[in-house]
Amino acid sequence: MSGLNENGSGPVIRAEKVSKHFGRTAVLKDITLEVHQGEVAVLVGPSGSGKSTFLRCVNRLERIDGGRLWANGELVGYRQVGRRLIERRPVEVTRQRQDVGMVFQRFNLFAHMTALENIMHAPVLLKRMGRAEAKVRAAALLDRVGLGRKAANRPAQLSGGEQQRVAIARALAMQPKLMLFDEPTSALDPELVGEVLDVMRDLATDGMTMLVVTHEMGFATQVADSAFFMDDGRIVESGSPNELFGNPQHERTKAFLSRVR
Ligand code: ADP
Ligand code: MG
């Protein structure tokens, strides 16, 4: 049973009994899930349940210590040779990571660069793209997130919502096959949340495969194809957003939903 393939079919993310410890604490316990091409999946759950850790495993910011994890048809961090798993070389891990865009709660833009330079940075550095081409692409991405006129602004001259839209454009500049969002609107003033969710909604409509950690139930219900509820390192319950949020089966899911709504 491999379920993986190097030619693009099959799930974009596939986790099979993934586990992860920090010291003696198990933070991911038998996580099994799939996210398919063009789907939006949301991951919800209380603080400390392991959502960020799971996302970080998908692009190998953390390593798993049990189970199997595939992204874009390849084992994350490993190659399979016969029945053996061989650790990938750092250059291969970097190549895998480039296909996975990530947007964090904190925007982490380079403070000394303009919006345009922030977006150009990775393609020039990591893909050896010429500056002229990178600039044209970055400008197009800024237009796409509605910030065409803010190209010359530095992060300090942008609102939180604008900074997060630049962060999304910056991730898209690497032409990822998959986007991970870790509570992208949690640090924003309420009136700025909508503009970021709108950009994410457009991205979903364009067919991007997305795994989103969010407490925005309205967005999740409208945009997501599937929803997973995580508690204490486990996926307790999953289904369509309407099923999971409208008719939760587990006490923990019910308790969580009653708190966030
Ligand atoms: P969530 O994103 O759902 O709030 P996290 O994935 O951030 O949860 O954290 C899950 C658990 O792992 C928490 O108990 C957290 O304290 C712990 N944890 C996260 N990162 C580390 C780390 N680098 N070292 C030790 N413990 C960690
Ligand atoms: Mg988190």
Side-chain angles (χ1 to χ4, degrees):
M1 182 177 63
S2 78
L4 79 156
N5 35 69
E6 311 287 357
N7 57 15
S9 58
V12 177
I13 300 175
R14 176 166 175 215
E16 208 177 87
K17 296 193 172 227
V18 165
S19 66
K20 165 85 188 160
H21 298 73
F22 286 117
R24 285 198 188 161
T25 313
V27 290
L28 299 179
K29 305 169 186 170
D30 284 344
I31 300 291
T32 295
L33 62 78
E34 291 184 353
V35 182
H36 295 264
Q37 181 79 46
E39 278 184 358
V40 177
V42 291
L43 195 52
V44 301
S47 180
S49 58
K51 306 178 301 294
S52 295
T53 302
F54 181 74
L55 252 53
R56 291 167 59 80
C57 288
V58 174
N59 70 355
R60 194 62 170 181
L61 293 172
E62 301 284 356
R63 57 178 60 212
I64 66 175
D65 41 40
R68 300 283 176 96
L69 180 60
W70 292 264
N72 298 313
E74 295 181 343
L75 280 171
V76 177
Y78 295 93
R79 274 184 304 122
Q80 186 162 6
V81 179
R83 299 193 59 173
R84 285 176 54 219
L85 293 188
I86 297 176
E87 190 129 355
R88 286 181 187 272
R89 292 179 300 145
V91 61
E92 291 179 60
V93 172
T94 302
R95 192 257 308 150
Q96 288 189 316
R97 195 175 282 146
Q98 286 180 6
D99 288 334
V100 183
M102 185 146 178
V103 175
F104 301 88
Q105 181 174 340
R106 290 267 155 216
F107 331 120
N108 304 319
L109 296 176
F110 302 115
H112 61 291
M113 294 183 194
T114 66
L116 194 77
E117 288 163 352
N118 263 280
I119 300 169
M120 292 170 59
H121 184 74
V124 170
L125 193 73
L126 302 174
K127 290 206 164 171
R128 313 234 162 137
M129 192 180 283
R131 287 189 66 83
E133 184 187 354
K135 192 170 177 176
V136 171
R137 286 171 174 271
L141 284 166
L142 271 177
D143 276 337
R144 186 167 167 190
V145 299
L147 292 173
R149 290 177 303 146
K150 304 275 172 102
N153 289 38
R154 289 177 203 277
Q157 301 165 321
L158 296 168
S159 73
E162 289 170 340
Q163 289 182 56
Q164 194 59 305
R165 285 145 70 195
V166 173
I168 294 171
R170 183 176 62 171
L172 292 175
M174 291 298 283
Q175 300 177 282
K177 297 173 181 161
L178 162 67
M179 285 283 286
L180 308 175
F181 291 87
D182 194 357
E183 301 200 35
T185 60
S186 298
L188 298 176
D189 292 335
E191 73 272 21
L192 304 178
V193 168
E195 64 192 60
V196 173
L197 295 180
D198 285 346
V199 166
M200 293 169 64
R201 196 176 280 118
D202 286 348
L203 203 52
T205 305
D206 285 350
M208 178 62 78
T209 308
M210 298 165 45
L211 178 57
V212 183
V213 175
T214 185
H215 295 163
E216 295 291 335
M217 296 300 158
F219 171 84
T221 307
Q222 285 166 17
V223 178
D225 301 288
S226 59
F228 299 90
F229 173 69
M230 233 174 126
D231 191 30
D232 192 24
R234 291 185 195 281
I235 292 183
V236 173
E237 187 167 356
S238 63
S240 74
N242 277 329
E243 282 164 10
L244 191 74
F245 306 141
N247 188 20
Q249 300 299 305
H250 288 258
E251 287 309 321
R252 288 179 170 204
T253 320
K254 289 178 192 170
F256 172 77
L257 291 174
S258 71
R259 286 201 302 275
V260 297
R261 276 200 279 243

